[in-house]
Amino acid sequence: QMGTFKITKKAVFGDVDPKESKEAFDLVAAPWSLEFSPGYALRGAFWTENMGEAHAFHSINLSPIDARRIYQWVGGDVPVGWLGAAVPEEVTVYVRK
């Protein structure tokens, strides 16, 4: 999905569609998820080398350290014990090919 989006939600972990990993193991969750459209997110990925490319089914994979850096930069705190929260600030994401 290409276009201009606002980040709406941040989560410590985001769901991973099993089809996204071509590895011999199942992935359940990816760290530092920033949802920018329902079902689409920026997130950390330790199972791929294609960082920053919108090649996954629902996400743009970033290295975990980069995903964490952006996650911390985006406003809004996730309360202790919660897995995610809405993002109160307006943060724009440009997804292009």
Side-chain angles (χ1 to χ4, degrees):
Q1 183 167 342
M2 292 188 288
T4 302
F5 306 91
K6 305 291 183 209
I7 292 179
T8 56
K9 178 180 162 187
K10 65 191 299 186
V12 177
F13 292 99
D15 294 333
V16 176
D17 186 323
K19 293 178 272 188
E20 292 187 42
S21 171
K22 296 180 175 114
E23 304 297 331
F25 51 85
D26 287 335
L27 296 168
V28 178
W32 316 120
S33 178
L34 295 167
E35 185 176 284
F36 58 86
S37 184
Y40 293 86
L42 299 167
R43 51 125 190 247
F46 50 85
W47 61 89
T48 184
E49 295 177 359
N50 299 322
M51 301 301 172
E53 296 180 16
H55 71 283
F57 289 95
H58 301 288
S59 299
I60 296 173
N61 293 328
L62 305 171
S63 69
I65 195 166
D66 289 337
R68 183 173 185 261
R69 184 179 300 123
I70 294 170
Y71 178 91
Q72 290 177 325
W73 176 77
V74 169
D77 292 329
V78 175
V80 175
W82 290 30
L83 295 179
V87 174
E89 295 180 11
E90 195 166 288
V91 178
T92 303
V93 175
Y94 301 100
V95 180
R96 59 189 174 97
K97 191 169 183 173

